[in-house]
Amino acid sequence: MIITVDDIMDRYEQVIELAKRRGFLWNSFELYGGTAGFYDYGPLGSTLKRGIEQIWREIYVIQEGFMEIECPTIGIEEVFVASGHVGGFSDPLCECEQCKEAFRADHLIKHIMEEADGLSNEELDRIIEQNGVKCPECGGNIGNIYEFNLMFKTQIGPGSGRKGYLRPETAQGMFVDFLKLARYYRDKLPFGATQIGKSYRNEISPRQGVIRLREFTQAEAEIFIDPMVKSHPNIQRFENTSLNLYSDTAQEMGRSQIMTIREAVDKGIIAHEFLAYQVALVDHFLQRVGITADKLRFRQHRKDEMAHYAIDCWDAEVLTDRFGWVEVVGIADRTDYDLSAHAKMSKTELSIYSEYEQPRMVEKFVIKPNMGKMGPMFKDKAKVVAEALKALPQEAFEKEEIKVSVDGEDLTVPRELVEFVQETFKVSGENIVPHVIEPSFGIDRILYSVLEHAYDEEIIPAKASEGNNEDETRIVLRFRKEVSPIKVAVLPLLTRKELIEPAKEIVARLKDKGLMVSYDDSGTIGRRYRRNDEIGTPYCITVDYDTLEDNTVTVRDRDNMQQVRVSIDAIDDVLHELLYKGKEFETVGKPL
RNA sequence: GCGCCGAUGGUCUAGCGGCUAUGACUGGGGCCUUCCAAGCCCUAAACCCGGGUUCGAAUCCCGGUUGGCGCACCA
């Protein structure tokens, strides 16, 4: 029996070990002992991350047309008061002194006070003490209340400057810039904006490596749509796409179902077509960066876990070896919650004028005081009397005499001084507050998932001819070529000047084409192939003595170790077709 | 934040109060080598931090940091 690393390490450990060793991920500040919740992306890690982000941009920014913006990572207090983060993110906690169970203080006194939200910690302490509130678990005494706030607080400017917070999500920037974005998009719904950047949450106890960080990268799109139009013009693109849906009812049954987008919309499982399109788009993105299809599902938020303002919310979840299903993307219909909240806070109308397809004719009861007669009768009061008349309800005009009260004075207006008619108006549109569809991506979690799903160990049987009977393990990161940090390695077969020189020429040529290319002449060729397998380099080019004869090189495929012979003159075209055009490996040259 | 368990070169590891700290792999330099971690020579590299106990601490004790797991938290 062969003992592989599988037997002693779980997949997470193997992946993280490789990631640290090869320069994908490093613990931050390790020189000083490290700090939980922070990771550095090493040379290969940040290249991989950029590749993933680039695909995201291609889909969301270029294809969907949601332009990218960049807002400060520090936000002022008002923004997060409006968003609910200041209130909702700062809960008063207290612990039982006996069993150490932690509770939210305001929850403990719910039965005493209905409205516990607005109370200060001192008041909460006092209420708990006066009412003799005990630990609901073990009956022990409740310790003093402390505040925990998941937002990092900072100060803007010197002294007692303005309060600021590191943003806990990138989304708010798009909401705050809503009017400017609307103008950029020339006041037409739907439109969207995106942002890729760092967000910060001061997690109480971050664990699980890169799955839960204190500083992390989000990619978010905020798509503003007409609340009355939740269809999607391009839905036919995904209609027949089958997704692994774990809906509210499916969760009750404990089993997800494979279903087409069309079916999910028709059966009302996904709230509406526009959201369904976004769910399918997330699926498209995740598979393109290399998430394994059968380790991906979309889980609907249960009614009780959904934010109160959301209509429907789906999480893309990825199956990982150690952590089980991990949420990597959330897709929510947040309705007009965010825009309305910011409108209220800023006292600015955040709406958009939406023109109807057809102008609508609206009937209205209109009061027209005859000012020519009102003037002589009411003199300087004529104007206020007229205003008062206009404010009266329709019934007031059904009587013989019309009574109005102006400045505490009751006046009687003869009927003939007022005309009232049903008039028909043309209304061509109205101000509406758009609804927001928000797909929100945790890039770090996606990157980890990509690493784990790409990780593979292959047993290479021992070669009897060489006398060793030890099987060996080949570790390969089977990245999608598009995301591989290094696209191609150029290797002289032997460390000899006459092979090194042409190899370096090839490196220079490929660099000119903008390819991320590496050069390696240390150790035997087999060792160098394995090194490149381990970091997921899709192709290796080897320069040998035949190269000097006929100007060809071998190209080796990472996944199956096969080789073809290709002319040097064609090498950049061949690589381009292999990497980006999906060309079959066997067709690009003569197999060896 | 609480509880339990761990921490030795880049990685894995030996060590059980008496070292100049073991070994392998990896890395670097060289020799050799005509395609999948071969061989030979040379070389670099570690006891998480701080206190204590002791003649003497990688080893025992305490505190911290950090990693894993469980509880809580995850808007």
Side-chain angles (χ1 to χ4, degrees), chain A residues 83-84 303-312 333-335 337:
Chain A
S83 71
K303 291 195 176 60
D304 55 354
E305 74 177 297
M306 198 149 47
H308 62 277
Y309 47 81
I311 290 177
D312 193 10
D333 182 338
R334 300 173 60 93
T335 69
Y337 175 79

Side-chain angles (χ1 to χ4, degrees), chain A residues 131-415:
Chain A
N131 291 277
V133 176
K134 297 289 180 193
C135 170
E137 292 292 318
C138 72
N141 283 325
I142 298 293
N144 274 350
I145 289 166
Y146 58 91
E147 197 74 21
F148 85 93
N149 193 333
L150 259 51
M151 280 196 292
F152 285 97
K153 205 175 204 168
T154 187
Q155 219 162 82
I156 302 168
S160 54
R162 214 168 172 180
K163 253 190 237 169
Y165 298 92
L166 299 199
R167 65 181 178 194
E169 59 175 26
T170 58
Q172 297 306 321
M174 275 87 84
F175 299 135
V176 170
D177 281 343
F178 171 76
L179 289 177
K180 291 163 186 162
L181 287 166
R183 187 161 175 85
Y184 173 84
Y185 285 105
R186 310 223 318 281
D187 297 314
K188 274 204 192 65
L189 292 176
F191 64 83
T194 55
Q195 200 166 182
I196 300 184
K198 296 281 199 176
S199 293
Y200 304 82
R201 296 177 191 185
N202 201 0
E203 298 285 351
I204 297 171
S205 142
R207 301 262 182 87
Q208 308 165 323
V210 83
I211 301 293
R212 215 155 134 230
L213 296 169
R214 289 191 166 121
E215 172 173 329
F216 55 101
T217 298
Q218 278 187 313
E220 292 190 298
E222 306 300 329
I223 312 163
F224 301 98
I225 66 172
D226 185 331
M228 301 307 288
V229 186
K230 294 197 169 179
S231 58
H232 196 288
N234 209 7
I235 190 70
Q236 76 285 348
R237 175 182 174 197
F238 291 125
E239 258 176 344
N240 298 319
T241 301
S242 282
L243 296 184
N244 187 11
L245 294 184
Y246 198 36
S247 65
D248 190 29
T249 49
Q251 286 168 65
E252 232 149 74
M253 299 186 306
R255 194 161 52 81
S256 60
Q257 326 157 254
I258 309 283
M259 196 181 287
T260 64
I261 286 292
R262 181 78 272 159
E263 205 182 341
V265 172
D266 286 348
K267 288 187 175 168
I269 290 171
I270 301 180
H272 52 82
E273 211 178 86
F274 200 97
L275 194 66
Y277 180 92
Q278 297 306 325
V279 170
L281 194 62
V282 167
D283 170 77
H284 169 71
F285 165 76
L286 289 176
Q287 294 205 39
R288 187 158 153 204
V289 297
I291 300 295
T292 310
D294 55 12
K295 290 181 177 172
L296 173 60
R297 75 177 182 194
F298 290 87
R299 191 182 70 83
Q300 188 169 36
H301 278 208
R302 309 296 301 262
K303 291 195 176 60
D304 55 354
E305 74 177 297
M306 198 149 47
H308 62 277
Y309 47 81
I311 290 177
D312 193 10
C313 183
W314 291 79
D315 288 344
E317 296 184 327
V318 166
L319 187 59
T320 61
D321 189 60
R322 179 182 284 193
F323 308 118
W325 291 98
V326 171
E327 174 196 349
V328 296
V329 186
I331 312 142
D333 182 338
R334 300 173 60 93
T335 69
D336 62 358
Y337 175 79
D338 304 277
L339 287 179
S340 296
H342 281 293
K344 198 172 161 201
M345 186 76 193
S346 64
K347 302 189 175 68
T348 306
E349 190 179 347
L350 299 180
S351 66
I352 202 162
Y353 182 74
S354 154
E355 209 160 303
Y356 301 137
E357 274 178 39
Q358 295 281 325
R360 292 179 196 172
M361 304 313 282
V362 176
E363 292 224 322
K364 222 174 155 186
F365 181 73
V366 183
I367 296 149
K368 291 183 170 172
N370 186 333
M371 294 313 282
K373 293 176 180 169
M374 296 261 294
M377 186 161 176
F378 293 106
K379 306 274 188 311
D380 57 331
K381 282 187 186 153
K383 198 171 178 195
V384 276
V385 173
E387 292 303 316
L389 282 171
K390 285 184 189 170
L392 289 174
Q394 192 168 350
E395 302 87 70
F397 298 92
E398 284 158 9
K399 295 179 187 145
E400 278 303 306
E401 294 186 319
I402 303 157
K403 293 196 162 136
V404 286
S405 158
V406 176
D407 297 335
E409 198 181 341
D410 285 331
L411 299 170
T412 302
V413 182
R415 240 186 119 122

